[in-house]
Every structure is written in C-alpha cells, then in structure tokens.
Amino acid sequence: ITPGRGDMPRPASYRSSGFAPSDLSGGLVHPRVAQALTSGSPEDDYRFVHKAYAHQLEAWKLLSPNERNSVLVSSGTGSGKTECFLVPLLTDLAQESETEGRLTGVRALMLYPLNALIATQEQRLRQWTRPFGGQIRFGLYNGMMKDARKHERDRAEDQSPEQVLYRKTLRSDPPPILVTNNTMLEYMTIRKQDQPILERSRGKLRWIIIDEAHSYVGSAAAEGSLLLRRGRQAVE
C-alpha cells in the first residue's frame, strides 16, 4: 500500500462502490468509526465523506470479521490504498474496545520502509482515533521518538490521549496500533529495554501491514520474511 490523502481529487478511472462509510455504519464499518471518519470541519484533510471506491469496499469485505483474509492492494496514487486496511482495522479495534475498554498491547503492526512515510500517517491517525478519547491509540516508533520526564509525558497524554509520543510510555503501555520500520522491529526482538512492548502484546497481534510490498525482492524479501517470523514468535 501507499498512503494517500482521503480528500485528494478522485480520479475518474477508479470505479465507485456507491457507498460512503456512513452508509455502511453498523455493518462493515463500526458506527463510532463511521463517525470518526466524517467528524471535523470541511477543511480537515482526512474527512472520508465521499463514496468509497469499489476496490476499497472489496477490501473491507475481505478484511471483515466474517472473512479476515490476507489482502494485497495494488492501485495507483490517490486511490485510497491506506483506507483499504485502516477502516476495517479501526472497526476491529472499536468492536474490541466495546468490551475491553481502553486497549493496551499491539494489535496492529504497520511497517513502512522510510521515516518520511511513517510521518505521513500521523495526521490521519490522529484525526481518526481522536474521537475515541484514548481507548484506541497509536504510536510512530522510529529513531526520532524521544523520551521525557513524567510530567512532560502526563501533559502530552492529557493533550493528545490518542498518540503515544514517548518511549517510556510505549514500553509501559503499548498502543494497539504501532507504526514502525524493519530496523525498529528488529531492535524490539533483541533489545532488552524494548522487551516490555512484546511482553504486553503477547497473544494480541492480529494485523500486519506492509507498505511498498513490491519493493521487497531478493535478500531484502528473505530478511523481511524472517524478521516477521521472529516478531510473530515473540508475541505468541
């Protein structure tokens, strides 16, 4: 998949499904997710108020609890590949939070090859998880994630309860959505200070999203496959 903005101009070459997320509320899309996708002002970058593309709706069906297949999305820039997985992922977490409340431990591992691509997910994830009031959180874990004193962490959590901003919080209270890269995933499997992330996520991981999957060829593909196996074994 390749990230694309939800409100980008919609190329005429992609077929419409005829349904907006709000039309699917209570079915393929959890009602709270449908509300989160459409909340905010018209100026918000990632409001999803238009009709979904046919390939998005197909992905949502294949990734629904009744199906839950592996999906490969291959489509052009601006065709909403990120929405293909993120809408059913949020629906899954929203359903779980109904019974579990605030979620801790990684359920979804999103792997991006570049820090710049990781950064592109922040605004969308903020906008779509903020309405859950901290029940569904995310973290962007790369070499730029900092640590801070307790009062700074507490202030950040009060201001942005939907996002884990510091390493100590990430390790003590991992978010259900973790956006990272292969290097940091490898660190998590071998670095002692990152072990709490894995320990608190045991038995919970059920989503693995790989961005730019076509770029993994040869030895890079073999190494990536082995790393994913190690990562999965660490949280089993």
Side-chain angles (χ1 to χ4, degrees), residues 8 28 34 53 77 118 160 171 178 197 199 210:
M8 288 181 68
L28 285 177
Y53 290 130
T77 300
I118 293 175
S160 303
R171 292 162 179 159
L178 184 60
I197 302 173
E199 292 170 1
I210 303 174

Side-chain angles (χ1 to χ4, degrees), residues 32-42 44-49 126-131:
R32 293 188 68 187
V33 174
Q35 183 179 9
L37 297 178
T38 58
S39 64
S41 67
D44 289 336
D45 288 336
Y46 293 105
R47 290 180 75 233
F48 198 157
V49 296
R126 270 185 178 276
Q127 191 166 315
W128 289 2
T129 58
R130 186 178 296 121

Side-chain angles (χ1 to χ4, degrees), residues 187-205:
Y187 285 159
M188 281 188 278
T189 63
I190 62 176
R191 193 160 58 182
K192 183 177 180 179
Q193 57 263 46
D194 281 340
Q195 289 304 299
I197 302 173
L198 304 177
E199 292 170 1
R200 290 172 171 79
S201 302
R202 287 209 171 103
K204 299 177 180 179
L205 179 66

